[in-house]
């Protein structure tokens, strides 16, 4: 194939990618205006001046569009958390864990609707594909957080809990990815996630601002206390 023959397919690929991004941008705006349930392929097609048949060639179903949205959101979140963590030396495991929590808050405040879609608001009728991009992103985030908690958790602390206390599917993933992590550290990672996620969710939904003059300071204090609690 000559260079000239290759121009059109590459241009078509670029145009298709641009159209896909525009479709997802409009879907996110629909979601921001009226919640995840407001996303409609036909409404997007009308706004873009496309036929319903044409838009279905990009996303055959609404579920396909939502999966693509959540996958992109999850990737953005995972990359932000990893960047925040990697900015702190491995010699400071507590600082890396605190940075992870700070990265979560900063990303959520910058993308509140994305945060709600990924972690909060259920979408009526939507079921993510098994072992699909949504599951892979959850796995990526969980893997990093569990690693960080295990690095802070002191080996000489008494063990609490067994693998039987956790969901077998979750245990299988942890043991495959992090074979040296104890059941106590794995369970502790879930509790750490609850503290981090809970405070951020309260702030995103406007509950912290009414009682705390400086939500950022409150969050920072919570992260420091969280790290201290793991070292006791």
């Amino acid at each position: 194939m000559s260079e000239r023959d290759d121009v059109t397919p590459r241009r078509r690929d670029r145009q298709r990618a641009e159209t896909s991004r525009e479709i997802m941008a409009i879907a996110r705006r629909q979601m921001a205006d009226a919640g995840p349930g407001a996303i409609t392929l036909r409404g997007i097609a009308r706004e873009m001046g496309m036929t319903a048949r044409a838009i279905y060639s990009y996303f055959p179903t609404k579920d396909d569009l939502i999966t693509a949205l959540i996958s992109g959101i999850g990737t953005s979140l995972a990359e932000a958390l990893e960047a925040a963590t990697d900015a702190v030396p491995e010699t400071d495991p507590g600082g890396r864990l605190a940075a992870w929590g700070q990265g979560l808050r900063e990303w959520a405040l910058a993308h509140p609707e994305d945060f709600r879609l990924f972690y909060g608001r259920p979408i009526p009728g939507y079921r993510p594909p098994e072992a699909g991009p949504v599951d892979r992103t959850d796995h990526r985030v969980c893997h990093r957080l569990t690693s960080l908690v295990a690095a802070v958790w002191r080996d000489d602390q008494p063990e609490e809990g067994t693998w039987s206390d956790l969901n077998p599917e979750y245990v299988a993933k942890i043991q495959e990815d992090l074979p040296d992590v104890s059941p106590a550290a794995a369970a502790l990672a879930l509790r750490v996630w609850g503290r981090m996620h809970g405070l951020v969710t309260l702030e995103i939904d406007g509950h912290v601002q009414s009682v705390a003059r400086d939500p950022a300071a409150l969050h920072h204090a919570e992260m420091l206390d969280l790290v201290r609690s793991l070292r006791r």
Side-chain angles (χ1 to χ4, degrees):
M1 178 181 290
S2 69
E3 182 177 347
R4 183 169 182 174
D5 292 334
D6 191 40
V7 170
T8 298
R10 280 191 282 175
R11 181 181 295 122
R12 287 174 180 168
D13 289 343
R14 289 197 301 270
Q15 290 174 341
R16 185 173 182 83
E18 290 172 2
T19 301
S20 295
R21 285 193 292 269
E22 185 178 356
I23 290 170
M24 288 192 286
I26 295 173
R28 291 171 82 166
R29 189 168 68 246
Q30 289 179 338
M31 177 181 68
D33 290 342
I39 297 174
T40 70
L41 286 172
R42 290 184 177 274
I44 295 171
R46 283 195 300 270
E47 184 167 340
M48 295 181 65
M50 299 173 64
T51 65
R53 182 175 180 178
I55 203 167
Y56 290 142
S57 69
Y58 289 86
F59 298 99
T61 68
K62 179 180 174 180
D63 279 5
D64 291 321
L65 172 57
I66 292 171
T67 297
L69 276 174
I70 296 177
S71 177
I73 289 168
T75 298
S76 171
L77 170 61
E79 290 176 348
L81 295 175
E82 290 164 4
T85 302
D86 292 342
V88 180
E90 291 188 4
T91 53
D92 183 9
R96 286 167 64 84
L97 180 59
W100 198 97
Q102 182 64 27
L104 174 66
R105 176 179 182 268
E106 291 177 356
W107 183 90
L109 290 175
H111 309 90
E113 288 302 325
D114 288 351
F115 179 83
R116 293 187 181 102
L117 179 61
F118 197 75
Y119 284 122
R121 299 177 182 174
I123 302 174
Y126 171 68
R127 291 186 178 182
E130 293 186 8
V134 177
D135 283 346
R136 288 194 294 271
T137 303
D138 275 339
H139 187 187
R140 179 178 173 182
V141 172
C142 176
H143 178 280
R144 175 57 70 99
L145 179 59
T146 303
S147 298
L148 293 171
V149 171
V152 178
W153 175 253
R154 281 173 27 196
D155 292 336
D156 61 346
Q157 294 190 32
E159 292 286 325
E160 295 182 3
T162 66
W163 289 121
S164 62
D165 296 328
L166 303 173
N167 184 301
E169 293 182 358
Y170 176 70
V171 171
K173 291 178 181 178
I174 293 296
Q175 291 181 330
E176 178 181 358
D177 295 341
L178 303 166
D180 295 331
V181 168
S182 70
L188 188 60
L190 295 177
R191 291 164 53 196
V192 167
W193 172 239
R195 287 180 66 175
M196 289 182 171
H197 182 272
L199 187 57
V200 170
T201 299
L202 287 173
E203 185 173 359
I204 290 297
D205 289 339
H207 300 298
V208 172
Q209 295 85 333
S210 62
V211 295
R213 296 182 62 182
D214 188 349
L218 174 65
H219 182 273
H220 181 65
E222 175 68 1
M223 292 305 99
L224 293 180
D225 180 70
L226 189 155
V227 171
R228 285 194 296 268
S229 71
L230 299 184
R231 290 172 165 165
R232 291 171 186 164

